[in-house]
Amino acid sequence: MTSEAFILDGYVDEPACLGVSPYISPYVRYCAGVCIENGFEVRYATIDQLRKTPSLLIDIEKSDLFVFIAGVTVPGKYLGGTPASSNEIFQIGSSLKNPLKCLGGPVIFGSASGGGNIAEKQAYSVYDYILKGEVSSALNSVLKSGNSYGDFSYDKIDRRSVLGSGIIKQHPKFPNVICELETARGCSRAVKGGCSFCTEYLYGMPQYRCEDGIHKEVAALYNSGAVHFRLGRQPDLLAYGTVSGEEFPRPVPEKMESLFSGIREAAPSLKTLHIDNINPGTIAKHPDESKEALESIVRWHTAGDIAAFGMESADPVVIDENNLKAMPDEILRAVEIVNEVGGIRDKNGVPHLLPGLNFVMGLCGETEKTYDLNESFLLSLLKTSLLIRRVNIRQVMPFEDTKAYSDNTIGQHETRFKIFKEKVRKEFDLPMLKRVFPFGTILEGVVTEVSGQTSFGRQLGSYPILVGFPYEISEGKVVDAFVTDWGFRSVTGFEIPLFINNLPHTAIKKLPGVGKKTAVKIIAKRPFKNLKELENVTGSLGFSEYISF
Ligand code: SF4
């Protein structure tokens, strides 16, 4: 009889890897590959599925091997899933008697209840093995020799990633899942000690995966039905394939070209190909090569993409004391270059590639003045025509082994922090959203995640904009939408086509240019046979091309 392995996805979120549903992380896919190599049949479920269906625990108990992947080392808010808490990790582990229990992922760095809290390491002694080193290799060592440490090897990862690719079909949201792809591990800034709060440099200097391995994995995932991909498992995509060993390696544009064109060849009908982290310091220090590499990305990716800049602070004192990547003038230069290359809009009006800015508060050296500087940096951007896709503000969550663990300003500027967040939402996010997604912009492939009187959905991609529909749409439906209004962090949209004869009364009132009175008239005169009949009642509508009867 074949042995069964059960992989439970407790989700991961690290500075350079996201695996919270609808993202599926490399960890679980590689571990599936190891299980298959060792003769196991693999079952996969997410922690959300287990919460919803606790009887899944009976299936886990019957399995021979239980692999739990979890760990969040950057605080975040998620719509698509809730990462496993340390309580859950304990409870699930202690309730199981039969299977060999293995726990792995960034959970080994520790956990905290959220940003602004110190992360503490846990022993998790209810598990037979804590997977250390490279997680999938550690799992293999456990199965082969009972040793829980795994050496890092991209040769093995390449093989196992292909073998384990099929588990994406077991994801509850399949085929609406995004495969997080790995191109590198470790950070080139480790050579200078890395940023004070980050766990990525603890992986050491970067090792880059060969493009052949990435392309073969993409082909295997694509053959299993994947059409959404993000190159997210690396700290700085522009550094891909460099060999210098420098803190800010000079990008090699040809590498970017062949990496991306090869992905397109491996998955010709993919729907999403996005990126994540780009080090703004790399762009500022090597503008020409960076520009060329960004042009390759824009040539092959899909629009609506974000280059996430870990800016963290506009205060030179904080930048210096925390060994951050770039000074404000360098960030500005990087923002300009990404705008120049990626600011062009696709046929739907969506910009191709825009910078996103991440701020981290509570770092050492921070004062009230830090907040003033952050605000004036952002407000000065508004005075230009530059586009910023989104601003992420979070409080540091320091981990043992990082400098921020013992040296931080957590809790010292709580009130100022709240004022800063509020000011950015109102005075920066709102006008910027209007600039990035003007009225009528079409957002294709929005997947509804919350159904109700107002339904919410997002596209599959890097930091997709939240779309609120002022009416009920069933969960999991994939729709195209056009933008009609803006919130601080979201837009209002209506489906394309817009079936005016079926739209609920409450939603009709929210159509642009349609007030309460006109809404009543529309309801009274429905059904309409064509646009002329409708516009006899409403007058000319600015979105008539989206209406259907
Ligand atoms: S540049 Fe800093 S924040 Fe980015 S991965 Fe390296 S150490 Fe972490």
Side-chain angles (χ1 to χ4, degrees), residues 15-16 186-190 193-201 234-236 248 277 279 310 312 323-325:
C187 175
S188 58
R189 301 204 61 245
C195 303
S196 68
F197 62 92
C198 181
T199 51
E200 183 63 21
Y201 75 88
Q234 71 280 311
D236 180 13
F248 295 99
N277 296 316
N279 185 338
E312 333 304 2
N323 194 29
L324 303 180
K325 305 156 208 66

Side-chain angles (χ1 to χ4, degrees), residues 382-397:
L382 268 187
K383 290 187 190 132
T384 68
S385 57
L386 293 165
L387 300 175
I388 301 290
R389 173 53 196 83
R390 62 110 184 89
V391 174
N392 238 350
I393 301 170
R394 55 197 170 90
Q395 286 176 299
V396 67
M397 189 162 93

Side-chain angles (χ1 to χ4, degrees), residues 111-126:
S111 57
S113 55
N117 293 287
I118 305 264
E120 299 299 348
K121 281 189 180 167
Q122 317 271 355
Y124 295 117
S125 49
V126 292

Side-chain angles (χ1 to χ4, degrees), residues 226-388:
V227 285
H228 304 283
F229 301 93
R230 183 175 89 150
L231 292 161
R233 209 286 168 247
Q234 71 280 311
D236 180 13
L237 187 59
L238 289 186
Y240 177 70
T242 55
V243 288
S244 69
E246 287 166 14
E247 184 187 5
F248 295 99
R250 188 177 293 276
V252 187
E254 309 80 66
K255 291 266 181 194
M256 206 59 66
E257 182 68 19
S258 54
L259 173 65
F260 273 78
S261 59
I263 291 174
R264 282 295 192 151
E265 216 170 287
S269 301
L270 63 77
K271 292 186 178 158
T272 309
L273 178 55
H274 278 182
I275 65 167
D276 187 22
N277 296 316
I278 295 280
N279 185 338
T282 304
I283 302 181
K285 291 191 169 59
H286 308 291
D288 295 339
E289 293 83 356
S290 296
K291 220 172 132 188
E292 233 183 289
L294 289 165
E295 280 163 0
S296 282
I297 294 173
V298 170
R299 193 159 28 250
W300 297 105
H301 79 156
T302 54
D305 202 357
I306 296 192
F309 288 176
M311 173 177 182
E312 333 304 2
S313 180
D315 183 345
V317 176
V318 175
I319 295 168
D320 193 44
E321 287 195 25
N322 293 276
N323 194 29
L324 303 180
K325 305 156 208 66
M327 285 291 168
D329 60 324
E330 294 177 303
I331 304 274
L332 178 61
R333 187 70 198 111
V335 165
E336 286 168 347
I337 288 174
V338 173
N339 266 262
E340 203 181 312
V341 178
I344 40 164
R345 293 178 188 265
D346 76 346
K347 65 179 189 333
N348 293 327
V350 176
H352 261 272
L353 173 70
L354 294 180
L357 299 178
N358 299 340
F359 284 86
V360 175
M361 312 314 299
L363 295 175
C364 69
E366 179 184 297
T367 58
E368 300 268 318
K369 192 179 158 206
T370 306
Y371 292 86
D372 300 341
L373 290 168
N374 290 345
E375 285 168 5
S376 37
F377 180 84
L378 288 173
L379 297 178
S380 72
L381 286 176
L382 268 187
K383 290 187 190 132
T384 68
S385 57
L386 293 165
L387 300 175
I388 301 290

